[in-house]
Amino acid sequence: MRLSILLFTFFTSSLIAQNIDIDLVKLNTELSSIINNHRKSKKLNNLEKTDVLEKAAFDQAEYISSKQKLTHEQNLANKKNVFDRVKLYNGKFSTVGENLLSIPIFPKKYSDQEIESLAYRMFTQWKNSSGHYQNIINSEFDSGGIQFKIDTKNKKIFAVQVFGTKGVEIPNQLSNNNFNLKEKNNSCKNLNFSTKLTIGNSIQIEGSDVILYYHDKEEFKSIFTNPNDGIAIDFIEKEQMKCGVPNTFDVSPIYDGVLGKPIYIKELLEQNTAENPYKLITKVGTIPSHLIGKDLVVNIVLIFDNCACEYVIPNKVNSKTIDLFPLIPKLVIPNKILSNKGIIYSDEIEFEFDKNKIIQKNNGYYSLYNDVHSIQIYSYSSVEGNEIINNKLHQDRAKTIEKFAKDSLRIKIKPSLILAKENWEKCLLQLAMENNDEMLTKPRNEIRKYINENSKEWNNYLNQQRVSKLVINYQGEITNDNSFNSNEEYDVNYYELNLRSGVFEKDIDKINLSLAKLYEVETSRAIFEEFIFNEINSNSKLVQNYAAVLSKNFTLNREKTVVFLDTWLSKFNELNKDAQFNLLNLYCKTNRNLLEYWDINITKLANVIKPYKHENKFTFFKENKGLQSNFDYILLYYSSHINDYEKVNTYFDKVYNSFKANIKNTDDRINLALFLNHWSAFGYSIELLKSQINNPKFSKEEALLLAQTATVIFDKNNNLENQKIINKVYKLNKTEWCKWQKENFNLLRNSYIKDQYCKFCNDN
C-alpha cells in the first residue's frame, strides 16, 4: 500500500463536528466484532481487516454522504462500482461485495455503551436486509473494511462495509497481457439477462473444442457488429471451487481461470458449419493442453470493441419439448376377407444416373425369392438441360433398367408399369425445401432456366432427381409355421402381403382393411414401398387410413410423408371430414418431429408444408381443443424455426395457457415446466412449480426441478424463498440434487448454494 499514513489516520480518527462526538475507531471495532462473532456462530471464518478495503469503504461513504443517497455506483469511471474502487486502491481480490446504510444520530458525545448500541443497530439493519445479510454470511469472503461518514447537517451517519476474497494468480496463462483485451469501460454494450444467458447456454465442449450453437445467426450479427467484437472462453477447473476453502478465482478483472484466445466476429461467421441458413455453429475456443482431461466448466467473456465487457456464467437446467395432445385417428374398416397368398415381398433396386454413368444400388434380397410376381420401372431424368434431350435420357434409362432385369436377374416377364419422365415432383419439392416460394409460382420453362443457371449449386439435388428404380414383386404364401419371431411379426407380414396385393389389384377395400390392421401393429415399412406409395398418393379414398398409419410410422420416411401431406393439403376439399382430421393430426405430429431437428437438412422439409399456409384448414375443427392446441404448438415452433419473434410470443402464450389449463397430475405439471425451461421462460416455470410447494403431495421430482430452475435467477429471487426452495429439495430429493450440483459445479460460485452443498452433500 502506498497511500500516506496521515490519510489513513484521518480515516480512523475520532471525528468531532458541531456537538456530535462519536469515536469512529471504537465504532469500527465494535461493528467488526459483532459481524465476526455472527460469522463464527455460523462456523465461518473471521473477516480480516485490510486497509485497501477500508479506503474503498471510506471513498464510498464520503460519496453517498455528499449525494445524500445510498448507491453502490459513482459518476467517475474509475470509481463506477465497488470493484473499480477496490482496484483503484491496488486491491487484488477475486470477488468483492459492499453493504451500505444510513442511520439517525444525535448531537451529543456518545458513550462506549451508546457506541455498542449504535453498532448493534447497524448490524441489525443489515441483518434484516436479505442482500446485505448474504454478504455478511458469505463464506467466500475472507477480508473486510468498514468506514463511516457523519452528516452533521442532517444528523445521520453513513456506514459502508466492503468485503473481498483475496485473489490468486492462476498459472499457465496463454497470454501475459490478456490478449490485449481492455477492461470494461463505457464503450461496452449493455445486454439483457436473457441474451447473455442464451449465449452462455449455447456453448458446448466437444472433444478439445468449444462450440457455440446459436439459434439466430442474424441476431448474433446484430449483437457483434464491430470487427473487434467477439468471444473468449474462460476455462475453470472444478478444483477452484472445493468445499472447505474459498473459491480460488484469478485476481484478473477479466477472467477467473485460464483465458482462451479471443475469436472475433469475422472468424466466427467464416467458420460457421450450420447447414440451416438461420443458424450459427462455430468454434469459439480450444481447451488448453494442460487442462485436457480435467473437470472443467467454460464461462464466456463477451468482447465489444476489444473490451472484456461481460462475463457470462452458463446455467443449464433440465428441459424438453412437450408431447402433443394424443389424438386417435378415425379408421375405415371395410367388410373384407384377407388372404395369405399374394405379393409376399418387394425389392427395390436403385440406379443413380449421372449423365451417362450408372451406379447400381440394391438390398440384395431378390436372390431369396425366385417366383417373380411383377416388376415396375420408375425412370427419371433431372429437369436440367432441355425437355427433348431429357425425354430420350429417361426412355433410354428405362430400357437399361429393363435389360438389367432380363440379363442380370433373368426375369422374363414384361414390366407391368414403366414410368419414364422428368422428375418435376422432386424438383418442386426441392424448391420448397429451399424456401424458394417465388420460383414455385413460375412456369416450368422459367424454373428450368433457373436450374440451368444454377446447376453447380443444384448438383446434389439434380443427382437426387435422376435416381431411378426397378421394383420386383415376389409372390408366395405366408403361414404361421414358427418361421416368425412373434405373432406380431407374422401379423405385420400378413397385412403387408395383402396391402401389396390390394394395390396391384387396385382393390380399395383390401387396401383400406390392410391399412387399418397395420395401424394396430407397431411398425410397417411396406407403406413406403414405391408402387404402394405412388398408388395411395393418387387416390383420395385411401387417404384416411393411410394418414392414420403414417402417424405411427412417418419417421421411417419423412420425405415421402411430407410429399403425401403436400399433395393432400392442396386437395383438402376433396377429402371427407374424417380423412381431413387424420391428415391434420398427421400434419401436427410430422411437423413437431421435423422442427425438433436443429441443424440438419431434414428441417428443410418443414419449409414444404409451412404452417402459416394451412391455418384456415384447422378452423373446420374448432371444437377439437386438442387439435387446435397441437397446431398452436406447431405454429410456435415454426415461428422459432424462421426467427419470427413476434409470432413466437403470440403462440407461446397460447400453448402455455392451453397446456396449463389441461394439467391433471404431477407429470403434466413437470412436463409443462420442462417445456417452459426449453423456451427459457424460467420465471413461468418457477411460478408454476412453486405454487405447489406447500402441497403435501408436492413430489421429489417437482422439488428437484424447481431447485434446478430457481438457480438460473437465484440472486433475483427473494432470499427467504431461495432458502425455502433449497430446504425443500434437500428434504425431498437430496440424492439427486447433490448429484446434479456435482455435475453442474458452476453453481458453487454462489456462496449460499455452495454452503448448503458442502454441508449436506458431504463433498469434502
Side-chain angles (χ1 to χ4, degrees):
M1 305 311 304
R2 287 198 259 268
L3 293 181
S4 71
I5 298 298
L6 288 175
L7 181 61
F8 180 67
T9 303
F10 173 74
F11 288 169
T12 57
S13 65
S14 174
L15 178 74
I16 303 174
Q18 296 184 355
N19 52 354
I20 297 176
D21 187 351
I22 300 174
D23 188 332
L24 297 183
V25 174
K26 287 183 180 179
L27 181 60
N28 188 316
T29 301
E30 188 63 33
L31 182 54
S32 298
S33 177
I34 293 172
I35 288 172
N36 276 332
N37 286 338
H38 186 76
R39 286 176 63 87
K40 186 177 180 180
S41 73
K42 299 289 184 181
K43 298 182 179 180
L44 302 172
N45 57 295
N46 279 353
L47 298 176
E48 179 185 340
K49 186 179 292 188
T50 65
D51 57 353
V52 168
L53 298 184
E54 290 213 332
K55 290 170 186 175
F58 185 75
D59 194 307
Q60 190 64 8
E62 280 200 315
Y63 183 81
I64 59 178
S65 175
S66 69
K67 296 296 182 182
Q68 286 294 298
K69 69 174 182 177
L70 298 181
T71 174
H72 292 287
E73 295 192 347
Q74 292 192 29
N75 292 330
L76 293 175
N78 64 344
K79 294 184 178 184
K80 186 171 180 58
N81 56 49
V82 62
F83 196 93
D84 293 328
R85 294 187 289 275
V86 171
K87 181 186 171 188
L88 180 67
Y89 294 109
N90 298 316
K92 292 188 175 182
F93 295 88
S94 58
T95 55
V96 294
E98 184 177 66
N99 282 355
L100 313 172
L101 65 76
S102 67
I103 201 166
I105 53 177
F106 301 99
K108 65 176 183 176
K109 178 180 174 69
Y110 274 66
S111 67
D112 289 351
Q113 185 176 359
E114 288 171 326
I115 288 173
E116 290 176 10
S117 176
L118 179 60
Y120 187 76
R121 285 168 59 203
M122 290 178 170
F123 169 73
T124 302
Q125 186 166 318
W126 278 335
K127 186 174 184 292
N128 290 337
S129 171
S130 174
H132 293 95
Y133 185 60
Q134 283 306 304
N135 279 337
I136 289 174
I137 62 170
N138 187 331
S139 63
E140 300 298 324
F141 291 142
D142 54 29
S143 306
I146 301 175
Q147 280 299 326
F148 311 95
K149 181 68 177 179
I150 291 178
D151 175 6
T152 56
K153 179 181 179 182
N154 296 295
K155 298 182 180 60
K156 58 185 175 182
I157 185 170
F158 290 88
V160 177
Q161 182 172 22
V162 177
F163 305 83
T165 305
K166 291 175 184 174
V168 298
E169 293 186 354
I170 303 297
N172 300 311
Q173 292 298 324
L174 306 181
S175 169
N176 58 11
N177 64 352
N178 302 329
F179 296 101
N180 292 316
L181 290 179
K182 295 175 288 186
E183 294 179 30
K184 186 173 183 177
N185 59 37
N186 291 333
S187 69
C188 289
K189 292 183 179 179
N190 292 318
L191 301 183
N192 61 47
F193 172 77
S194 176
T195 299
K196 289 186 287 189
L197 185 65
T198 300
I199 294 173
N201 288 349
S202 300
I203 298 287
Q204 294 186 25
I205 296 177
E206 298 180 1
S208 62
D209 293 333
V210 184
I211 307 297
L212 171 72
Y213 288 81
Y214 202 74
H215 66 287
D216 187 344
K217 182 174 69 177
E218 293 304 314
E219 180 183 81
F220 190 83
K221 288 163 64 177
S222 73
I223 297 170
F224 299 90
T225 57
N226 187 299
N228 292 322
D229 293 351
I231 288 175
I233 299 299
D234 187 22
F235 297 92
I236 311 293
E237 288 190 73
K238 187 175 184 179
E239 286 293 303
Q240 293 178 242
M241 291 178 272
K242 291 194 298 186
C243 287
V245 295
N247 290 344
T248 53
F249 296 135
D250 198 284
V251 295
S252 167
I254 292 177
Y255 58 87
D256 290 338
V258 175
L259 183 68
K261 182 180 179 181
I263 301 181
Y264 293 94
I265 183 63
K266 181 180 179 183
E267 185 177 354
L268 291 170
L269 295 174
E270 285 177 348
Q271 61 189 17
N272 181 20
T273 61
E275 295 177 6
N276 189 322
Y278 294 108
K279 313 296 182 183
L280 179 69
I281 300 178
T282 189
K283 181 178 173 181
V284 291
T286 302
I287 297 176
S289 58
H290 71 281
L291 294 179
I292 291 177
K294 302 286 185 71
D295 277 338
L296 294 175
V297 66
V298 292
N299 295 336
I300 299 96
V301 178
L302 300 183
I303 302 164
F304 298 106
D305 196 20
N306 221 41
C307 291
C309 291
E310 295 281 359
Y311 191 86
V312 179
I313 301 169
N315 197 338
K316 298 183 180 180
V317 298
N318 289 342
S319 64
K320 71 172 188 178
T321 56
I322 203 166
D323 291 331
L324 298 177
F325 284 109
L327 301 173
I328 300 174
K330 301 171 183 180
L331 296 166
V332 178
I333 312 292
N335 184 15
K336 184 80 176 181
I337 297 174
L338 301 181
S339 170
N340 67 339
K341 293 181 181 180
I343 301 176
I344 199 168
Y345 183 78
S346 286
D347 190 21
E348 295 184 358
I349 304 174
E350 286 189 357
F351 297 79
E352 293 185 0
F353 292 93
D354 184 3
K355 302 299 182 183
N356 295 317
K357 183 179 178 182
I358 302 173
I359 303 172
Q360 177 200 334
K361 293 172 62 180
N362 66 76
N363 297 321
Y365 289 115
Y366 58 84
S367 61
L368 299 177
Y369 300 92
N370 296 316
D371 195 0
V372 176
H373 173 277
S374 56
I375 65 172
Q376 293 93 32
I377 293 172
Y378 301 87
S379 172
Y380 300 106
S381 61
S382 68
V383 303
E384 181 191 21
N386 66 71
E387 187 174 4
I388 295 174
I389 294 175
N390 288 343
N391 283 339
K392 185 175 188 310
L393 278 173
H394 53 244
Q395 293 296 339
D396 288 346
R397 288 168 183 172
K399 292 175 183 176
T400 299
I401 295 171
E402 186 174 4
K403 188 174 187 301
F404 171 83
K406 181 179 179 181
D407 295 347
S408 299
L409 305 182
R410 304 190 185 285
I411 296 175
K412 307 299 182 184
I413 62 175
K414 290 288 185 181
S416 62
L417 171 69
I418 297 178
L419 183 66
K421 61 180 184 177
E422 291 180 318
N423 203 342
W424 278 102
E425 291 83 358
K426 180 76 77 172
C427 177
L428 297 176
L429 176 72
Q430 293 162 346
L431 284 168
M433 289 172 65
E434 293 299 325
N435 257 331
N436 199 334
D437 294 340
E438 181 183 0
M439 189 54 61
L440 283 168
T441 64
K442 305 289 186 182
R444 288 193 173 184
N445 63 319
E446 290 191 34
I447 296 176
R448 193 192 305 276
K449 180 181 177 183
Y450 169 80
I451 299 297
N452 287 335
E453 291 173 350
N454 296 275
S455 59
K456 185 176 180 180
E457 293 82 358
W458 269 69
N459 185 57
N460 288 335
Y461 277 155
L462 293 171
N463 285 334
Q464 292 172 26
Q465 292 175 27
R466 299 182 189 111
V467 173
S468 303
K469 285 186 180 181
L470 168 64
V471 176
I472 310 167
N473 299 316
Y474 299 92
Q475 60 190 351
E477 181 177 353
I478 185 171
T479 58
N480 196 356
D481 56 0
N482 298 322
S483 60
F484 297 99
N485 294 324
S486 64
N487 288 335
E488 180 163 325
E489 185 180 351
Y490 168 81
D491 290 342
V492 171
N493 281 272
Y494 177 70
Y495 302 143
E496 288 181 343
L497 176 150
N498 281 276
L499 177 61
R500 295 188 192 97
S501 301
V503 167
F504 188 83
E505 298 159 7
K506 298 189 182 299
D507 187 332
I508 300 299
D509 286 347
K510 181 183 279 192
I511 297 171
N512 270 328
L513 182 57
S514 301
L515 289 171
K517 294 295 184 181
L518 285 170
Y519 176 76
E520 298 172 2
V521 301
E522 186 173 342
T523 303
S524 172
R525 296 181 181 276
I527 59 174
F528 295 109
E529 290 173 1
E530 196 73 27
F531 88 107
I532 291 176
F533 179 79
N534 286 342
E535 175 62 29
I536 291 177
N537 199 41
S538 61
N539 194 323
S540 62
K541 295 179 181 178
L542 302 173
V543 170
Q544 182 176 337
N545 282 11
Y546 192 65
V549 180
L550 276 182
S551 70
K552 295 180 69 174
N553 294 275
F554 63 88
T555 57
L556 300 178
N557 195 319
R558 296 178 180 86
E559 183 175 310
K560 281 188 173 177
T561 301
V562 167
V563 169
F564 174 79
L565 283 166
D566 193 43
T567 298
W568 291 106
L569 286 170
S570 67
K571 303 176 183 178
F572 193 73
N573 293 332
E574 296 179 18
L575 304 175
N576 64 51
K577 192 161 186 179
D578 287 345
Q580 290 175 339
F581 174 82
N582 288 357
L583 192 70
L584 296 180
N585 180 41
L586 171 64
Y587 178 86
C588 290
K589 295 183 73 171
T590 303
N591 268 282
R592 179 189 184 277
N593 179 265
L594 294 175
L595 295 168
E596 281 182 351
Y597 288 84
W598 198 75
D599 186 63
I600 57 177
N601 271 327
I602 204 168
T603 59
K604 293 183 178 181
L605 289 169
N607 297 329
V608 180
I609 44 176
K610 297 179 178 69
Y612 300 160
K613 296 192 303 184
H614 303 294
E615 290 187 76
N616 63 318
K617 297 177 177 62
F618 283 83
T619 60
F620 290 102
F621 296 89
K622 281 183 178 179
E623 74 286 353
N624 193 311
K625 300 301 182 185
L627 185 61
Q628 292 299 318
S629 295
N630 289 349
F631 185 56
D632 286 339
Y633 185 93
I634 300 309
L635 288 165
L636 168 63
Y637 271 81
Y638 187 74
S639 301
S640 175
H641 176 68
I642 62 172
N643 300 324
D644 185 340
Y645 298 118
E646 183 177 345
K647 289 188 176 179
V648 165
N649 293 331
T650 297
Y651 293 117
F652 177 84
D653 289 340
K654 284 188 175 184
V655 171
Y656 171 61
N657 290 326
S658 63
F659 280 83
K660 184 180 179 183
N662 282 278
I663 291 177
K664 295 181 175 61
N665 51 47
T666 296
D667 287 343
D668 289 344
R669 187 175 299 104
I670 290 174
N671 286 332
L672 181 54
L674 288 168
F675 164 79
L676 293 169
N677 286 351
H678 179 77
W679 286 89
S680 300
F682 304 113
Y684 281 22
S685 180
I686 292 168
E687 180 184 6
L688 178 71
L689 294 167
K690 201 166 65 176
S691 68
Q692 300 296 310
I693 198 169
N694 295 320
N695 189 328
K697 294 182 179 180
F698 190 65
S699 69
K700 64 179 185 179
E701 292 81 11
E702 287 173 294
L704 176 63
L705 183 57
L706 174 58
Q708 291 172 342
T709 308
T711 61
V712 176
I713 49 179
F714 196 86
D715 290 334
K716 295 182 180 295
N717 288 345
N718 179 283
N719 191 55
L720 293 176
E721 285 298 314
N722 291 336
Q723 293 180 21
K724 184 177 182 180
I725 290 168
I726 297 298
N727 291 342
K728 195 75 171 181
V729 72
Y730 275 120
K731 179 180 178 181
L732 293 178
N733 207 347
K734 174 184 171 183
T735 301
E736 289 300 317
W737 173 239
C738 289
K739 178 182 176 183
W740 189 76
Q741 289 177 100
K742 192 171 185 178
E743 293 171 352
N744 297 274
F745 57 87
N746 223 355
L747 291 172
L748 304 185
R749 300 178 70 99
N750 183 295
S751 59
Y752 179 76
I753 291 178
K754 181 179 179 180
D755 289 345
Q756 299 298 305
Y757 172 79
C758 294
K759 178 180 178 181
F760 291 108
C761 297
N762 300 314
D763 191 47
N764 295 306

